[in-house]
Amino acid sequence: MIPFIDLKHQYQALKPEIQTRINTVLEHGQYIMGPEVRELEERLETYTQAKHCITVASGTEALLIALMAIGVKAGDEVITTPFTFVATAEVIVLLGAVPVFVDIEPDTCNIDVSKIEAAITPKTKAIMPVSLYGQAADMDEINAIAARHGNIPVIEDAAQSFGADYNGRKSCNLSTIGCTSFFPSKPLGCYGDGGAIFTSDDALAKAMREIRVHGQERRYVHTRIGVGGRMDTLQCAILLAKFERFDWEVEQRLKIGARYNELLAGKVSVVTQRPGRTSVFAQYTVFVENREQLQEQLKVAGIPTAVHYPIPLNEQPAYRHLCCPDSTPISKKLACQVMSLPMSADLTAFAQDSIVRAVIGGGA
């Protein structure tokens, strides 16, 4: 059985470093906001070149805190994509705001920048593109649109793209705020929930740090409404150990993704990577017509697959009443076609060859 994401092999490669880091935390006993929290934030600031990094309890919490920091409230509108994990829209609705869904590009599955401007209204409080499957959206164009309309804040949902490059810059440091996830299956994942927020705006960074700890400016002095959004010290310690291997893992992901592209070229349609940017392939995704049949054949062959995502958010039962369900035809079409294949930095050429033969042989 080929693993969909090979976390066991990764752990074995990093076991001494991870155990040492965990033991250090167990010895000092500072499980909440211990020294590893700030150490990780500093490492991530250096990596992304963002001025500020605020670690948080999850990628969802990162998005929620970012929206709270820019003052999103009931009745506001936030422009985003329906072709993403539900957390992207969930946090908007939790604050009483309305998600305004813009359709996606048929080749990248990222938000279609040519359709954003028409969705802007006087109620638009933020634009929240998703860097899907590990590749940044058209961030320069989105930032330019936001600037033309009164400097609308742009929040990059980079839950899947930490480590990716965009015109010489890192995902998470491409707009007003960048948010990422360290869920175990992400390109850089911890062993539980975790996330981070990035910004170079001092005022926003201060607000988000306070919101993270119940709106607390200093102990028991609460200057704003907040949440319990801290990332555990143990999870930060694990990421510090895993970060030592991360550059190598990104390089491997680029090579493995390029090899998938080469092996499938002319046989199976795949998600396109744009010039000037890289994908860290949080998922390696193809487009197939006979998805359920092919998935069953691959399962029998010991090859797992996944679908990211089978139902656009504006078609979901909990969200249909908030928007226009049938207004994003590309998202609706691709939701029936996308299929993700096994992908990790430790995927061998032998396993990859087996996967590709099975996909092509299954009539994809």
Side-chain angles (χ1 to χ4, degrees):
M1 179 76 174
I2 297 171
F4 188 70
I5 298 169
D6 194 352
L7 294 179
K8 290 183 179 179
H9 192 285
Q10 183 195 56
Y11 170 65
Q12 290 303 319
L14 289 166
K15 188 173 181 178
E17 293 87 350
I18 290 172
Q19 290 297 336
T20 298
R21 281 286 188 174
I22 290 174
N23 289 339
T24 299
V25 176
L26 296 177
E27 288 294 333
H28 68 55
Q30 298 176 57
Y31 301 114
I32 302 297
M33 300 304 286
E36 287 79 5
V37 175
R38 186 60 198 144
E39 183 183 354
L40 177 63
E41 290 174 347
E42 289 174 350
R43 291 289 296 273
L44 299 179
E45 286 164 359
T46 299
Y47 183 80
T48 61
Q49 293 297 294
K51 188 175 180 182
H52 302 282
C53 171
I54 302 98
T55 55
V56 291
S58 67
T60 305
E61 209 76 22
L63 295 171
L64 179 65
I65 291 171
L67 291 174
M68 291 173 71
I70 64 171
V72 170
K73 61 186 184 305
D76 289 337
E77 295 176 353
V78 178
I79 294 171
T80 191
T81 163
F83 203 72
T84 178
F85 183 60
V86 69
T88 309
E90 183 176 59
V91 293
I92 298 168
V93 177
L94 282 171
L95 293 175
V98 179
V100 176
F101 293 112
V102 170
D103 211 354
I104 59 174
E105 299 172 329
D107 54 350
T108 68
C109 297
N110 277 332
I111 192 168
D112 188 336
V113 70
S114 70
K115 298 176 180 176
I116 290 177
E117 205 147 17
I120 294 174
T121 75
K123 294 182 179 180
T124 302
K125 189 71 174 183
I127 302 172
M128 195 152 67
V130 177
S131 295
L132 198 71
Y133 300 145
Q135 175 182 212
D138 295 325
M139 297 301 294
D140 285 347
E141 292 88 342
I142 294 168
N143 289 334
I145 291 170
R148 286 199 300 271
H149 290 266
N151 293 316
I152 299 169
V154 176
I155 300 170
E156 182 194 10
D157 181 343
Q160 300 179 17
S161 60
F162 184 81
D165 290 334
Y166 176 89
N167 293 336
R169 292 170 287 149
K170 291 293 184 188
S171 178
C172 295
N173 187 25
L174 303 174
S175 56
T176 318
I177 301 172
C179 298
T180 199
S181 168
F182 299 127
F183 187 79
S185 62
K186 304 300 183 186
L188 180 63
C190 55
Y191 290 162
D193 276 315
I197 312 169
F198 300 84
T199 187
S200 292
D201 184 302
D202 294 344
L204 284 175
K206 182 178 188 295
M208 292 187 289
R209 284 199 177 95
E210 292 178 5
I211 293 168
R212 171 179 67 176
V213 287
H214 302 284
Q216 184 173 268
E217 183 183 52
R218 60 185 188 276
R219 191 168 176 80
Y220 299 135
V221 177
H222 304 273
T223 55
R224 61 185 83 236
I225 303 299
V227 297
R230 300 162 300 202
M231 186 171 173
D232 294 340
T233 306
L234 275 168
Q235 298 300 344
C236 290
I238 288 163
L239 284 186
L240 283 165
K242 293 179 75 171
F243 202 68
E244 300 301 322
R245 193 181 190 243
F246 187 61
D247 282 342
W248 176 85
E249 290 199 6
V250 169
E251 183 181 336
Q252 291 302 113
R253 284 177 171 273
L254 296 180
K255 289 178 179 177
I256 292 166
R259 190 165 187 269
Y260 261 135
N261 289 344
E262 182 182 338
L263 294 171
L264 293 168
K267 301 178 179 70
V268 179
S269 296
V270 305
V271 171
T272 299
Q273 286 84 58
R274 289 272 190 260
R277 65 193 82 172
T278 62
S279 175
V280 287
F281 296 104
Q283 289 86 29
Y284 186 88
T285 303
V286 300
F287 304 109
V288 296
E289 297 291 342
N290 55 332
R291 187 172 66 197
E292 289 186 12
Q293 178 187 344
L294 182 56
Q295 282 189 292
E296 188 57 37
Q297 291 176 8
L298 294 175
K299 182 179 178 181
V300 171
I303 299 169
T305 58
V307 176
H308 306 96
Y309 296 92
I311 305 173
L313 297 187
N314 54 334
E315 304 280 346
Q316 292 282 359
Y319 294 86
R320 286 178 64 90
H321 71 288
L322 297 169
C323 46
C324 304
D326 301 316
S327 62
T328 55
I330 304 299
S331 297
K332 188 169 187 175
K333 176 185 177 183
L334 295 187
C336 300
Q337 297 178 354
V338 291
M339 183 180 74
S340 298
L341 304 177
M343 181 63 176
S344 62
D346 297 296
L347 183 68
T348 66
F350 178 81
Q352 192 176 24
D353 289 340
S354 300
I355 294 162
V356 169
R357 280 197 303 270
V359 170
I360 294 172

